Amino acid sequence: MELKLTRPICFFDLETTGTNVAKDRIVEIAILKVFPNGNKESKTWLVNPEMTIPDEVIAIHGISNEKVANEPTFKELSKEIYKMIKDADLGGFNSDRFDIPLLAEELLRVGIDFDMKNTVSVDVQTIFHKMEKRTLEAAYKFYCDKDLTDAHSAAADTNATYEVLLSQLDRYPELENNIKKLSEFSRRKQSVDFAGFIAMDEDGEEIFSFGKHKGKKVHDVLEKEPGYFGWMLNADFPLYTKKILTQIKLSKLNTKLG
């Protein structure tokens, strides 16, 4: 089984300093770019996160502070990374909830205006959980009959994720070999931002999905309580969430001026 592609797709995996999308940083990134003609390009970078990697995190992925001390920062690598992914769709394992949001934060932080408007994503973990309810190691064993001996190495996890997706397509004839269809199937919920603070209602309008305004239309809240916009911009929300919130506010303003 080969993926039917109309444009490239980049499978990628991150090892990080932790799991807080707004605060933690990348220490390793691996990208496997698959082209419509079947060609592949892969790259792995160690990254100096410019912050201390906690011991409990080092115990998971094995990347110590000493190992990345002399590696380039994400800012120094950002243009090369963005060049590799900017024309492609994205794929990963738990990527919709973690890897894509954190990568977006890193790119926005260094001034690269990362956006998913013209990009779809395939979360292989979601397909796996909907079909079999397991972990990546179990998925690799179940679908590919191989042991993931180097788990939590970004390169090993990335290649395993790609192989698992191909095996999923072989195993489940009801899965359409089409990236947009796979993206729709692997999407957990219809969020406007990556972190899920802003969702879409049945009418296709943005609503808040948290806090005191949960379920309310974003436009209505910003109009009735203007200070809420400023509070969110100054609070500890991901940069991408703030970007989407600003776009919604500006679109309402432009509608009024028009």
Side-chain angles (χ1 to χ4, degrees), residues 15 17 19 37-38 77 113 115 140 174 207 210 214 221 229-230:
E15 302 302 337
T17 59
T19 58
N37 64 3
L77 294 168
D113 191 21
D115 206 301
Y140 198 50
E174 66 267 36
I207 58 172
F210 74 100
K214 185 175 181 179
V221 172
F229 176 75

Side-chain angles (χ1 to χ4, degrees), residues 91-246:
F93 199 87
N94 194 33
S95 50
D96 282 355
R97 288 198 298 180
F98 182 71
D99 297 84
I100 292 175
L102 200 146
L103 179 61
E105 290 298 294
E106 290 275 35
L107 289 168
L108 291 170
R109 197 176 287 121
V110 299
I112 294 176
D113 191 21
F114 178 77
D115 206 301
M116 290 285 289
K117 283 181 180 177
N118 300 312
T119 302
V120 298
S121 64
V122 177
D123 193 327
V124 174
Q125 186 195 59
T126 305
I127 295 175
F128 182 40
H129 285 178
K130 283 186 174 183
M131 295 295 191
E132 304 296 344
K133 317 291 185 190
R134 304 280 178 88
T135 62
L136 177 58
E137 288 88 343
Y140 198 50
K141 183 66 175 178
F142 182 85
Y143 289 110
C144 306
D145 197 25
K146 298 178 185 177
D147 293 316
L148 186 53
T149 55
D150 202 11
H152 297 296
S153 156
D157 288 358
T158 296
N159 282 287
T161 298
Y162 171 60
E163 288 184 45
V164 166
L165 179 58
L166 296 181
S167 294
Q168 286 173 332
L169 288 167
D170 277 327
R171 181 177 288 265
Y172 306 116
E174 66 267 36
L175 283 180
E176 189 172 340
N177 191 344
N178 175 285
I179 293 301
K180 287 188 178 180
K181 295 293 185 182
L182 290 170
S183 175
E184 291 169 5
F185 185 83
S186 66
R187 192 178 300 131
R188 285 183 173 84
K189 60 181 180 178
Q190 195 169 8
S191 295
V192 182
D193 66 329
F194 295 129
F197 290 107
I198 302 172
M200 202 77 84
D201 67 11
E202 294 178 354
D203 299 321
E205 292 197 45
E206 298 93 347
I207 58 172
F208 286 114
S209 55
F210 74 100
K212 66 179 183 179
H213 293 306
K214 185 175 181 179
K216 296 179 183 177
K217 289 180 169 48
V218 176
H219 284 315
D220 293 344
V221 172
L222 297 185
E223 189 169 310
K224 294 174 183 176
E225 193 179 332
Y228 200 69
F229 176 75
W231 171 75
M232 284 194 67
L233 288 192
N234 291 312
D236 192 22
F237 289 96
L239 294 174
Y240 198 84
T241 299
K242 295 176 181 179
K243 174 183 174 178
I244 294 296
L245 186 68
T246 302

